[in-house]
Amino acid sequence: MTLTDAERFARLRLARTDQIGPVTFRQLLDRFGSGERALDALPDLIRRGGGHGHAAPPVEWIEAEMEAGERAGARLIVLGDADYPEMLAAVDPPPPLLWTLGDAGLMARPCIAVVGARIASAGGQRIARGLSQQLGEAGHVVVSGLARGIDGAAHTGALPTGTIAVLGGGVDDVYPPDNADLYARIAEQGCILSESPMGAKAQARDFPRRNRIISGLSRGVVVVEAELRSGSLITARLAAEQGRDVFAVPGSPLDPRSRGPNELLRQGAILCEGLEDVERAFSTLRTLREPAPDNPFHGAPDDIDAVVIEQVAALLSPTPTPRNELARALGMPIGTVAAALLELNLAGRADLLPGGLAAARSP
């Protein structure tokens, strides 16, 4: 499918609408078939769900973001584009869009993430650099987050063969500043990637989303050094949830930075002492590509009665509940319940979660 310029613009505008995250974005596309139709339907959906406000951002804001991308030499890829990466499209839910600088074609090659501590030991950085060089020479594209320490070492080792840096801020936000030279080299020889708006500065809340893209692009994630409470272990957890392999480089129990990888090994991660461990794991016969889920809105009426919406709302609680259980409890088709949940979400009364779950939104 080739998207028109108008449809790509509509999908960007939809993705930048308040309270529309990746789950809601995907469900709006499933229900209406296009970003343009979803935008047209948005005011009525919010009203029927009992909400008001948070209209789509002005067209001028989206035009300004597109112009900023063009000035920076960046390229926009939206969900549904032919060159949207297949591995990332299989994530539930996939990011609605990606801004890229450099060679976006790297995302279509076999990728593996190498992540770890920002305050890394010299030995850990040497391992990350050497392993990434070996992975690149073996045909893998190394993905990391351009942070200090292990991330920077991984990018440096893989730079000659291709590396992808996923940022928390916009693709034009050089963070941390002391990695400016590395950023420039990756933009020239590899790929800089972000789902944040052009010009956005990285904030703490952006890094879990960034980590989800790092793991989602990759067939596996290698953790070199990390403390128990760290972004690297979040990335490893996300990788496991996405069906990716998790590798851990063991370390000395005397070093707090080894606690993360050692704990991952206790939990069943694959021991990684070099390229051979990665290649052995990848040689097993299994696939990450699962059949695309059925459209949950199949058979849903165009308009959902207000009484139905309130019946669905009455069954919600803070505990996430599968929509098929709600449908069974109400004796309604799943498509009708899915449509009611979408309208409750847009009205700010429910949270939609991956896997077809929904919960009442906390006041």
Side-chain angles (χ1 to χ4, degrees), residues 338-355:
L341 288 170
L342 179 59
E343 297 186 18
L344 288 166
N345 170 263
L346 291 168
R349 300 174 61 193
D351 286 317
L352 299 181
L353 307 170

Side-chain angles (χ1 to χ4, degrees), residues 214-276:
I214 290 173
S215 58
L217 279 172
S218 308
R219 182 169 180 185
V221 172
V222 181
V223 179
V224 179
E225 288 184 338
E227 298 205 18
L228 287 174
R229 297 176 63 85
S230 66
S232 299
L233 261 62
I234 292 174
T235 306
R237 175 178 59 78
L238 292 168
E241 291 173 356
Q242 293 164 347
R244 276 55 170 162
D245 286 319
V246 176
F247 300 87
V249 176
S252 167
L254 301 177
D255 188 342
R257 291 165 294 202
S258 297
R259 290 177 183 164
N262 290 350
E263 179 60 26
L264 290 175
L265 289 169
R266 291 189 192 95
Q267 295 173 4
I270 302 167
L271 177 74
C272 182
E273 294 180 318
L275 174 65
E276 297 78 11

Side-chain angles (χ1 to χ4, degrees), residues 197-222:
M198 298 297 302
K201 300 298 182 184
Q203 301 182 44
R205 67 172 182 267
D206 297 319
F207 291 106
R209 294 189 299 114
R210 178 205 65 171
N211 295 343
R212 183 170 143 272
I213 295 176
I214 290 173
S215 58
L217 279 172
S218 308
R219 182 169 180 185
V221 172
V222 181

Side-chain angles (χ1 to χ4, degrees), residues 22 25 77-79 84 88-89 91 93-98 195 209 212-213:
F25 179 90
I77 300 175
V78 301
L79 183 64
Y84 190 97
L88 201 53
V91 171
L97 60 92
L98 305 166
E195 65 175 329
R209 294 189 299 114
R212 183 170 143 272
I213 295 176

Side-chain angles (χ1 to χ4, degrees), residues 56 63 72 80 136 174 186 191 247 249 262 268 288 301 307 333 350:
E63 289 174 341
V174 183
I186 296 173
C191 181
F247 300 87
V249 176
N262 290 350
L288 295 171
V307 173

Side-chain angles (χ1 to χ4, degrees), residues 38 61 73 98 136 146 168 205 244 259 286 289-290 294 299 305 338:
W61 291 11
L98 305 166
L146 198 67
R205 67 172 182 267
R244 276 55 170 162
R259 290 177 183 164
R286 71 186 188 92
R289 295 175 178 81
E290 299 178 356
D294 292 334
D305 189 273

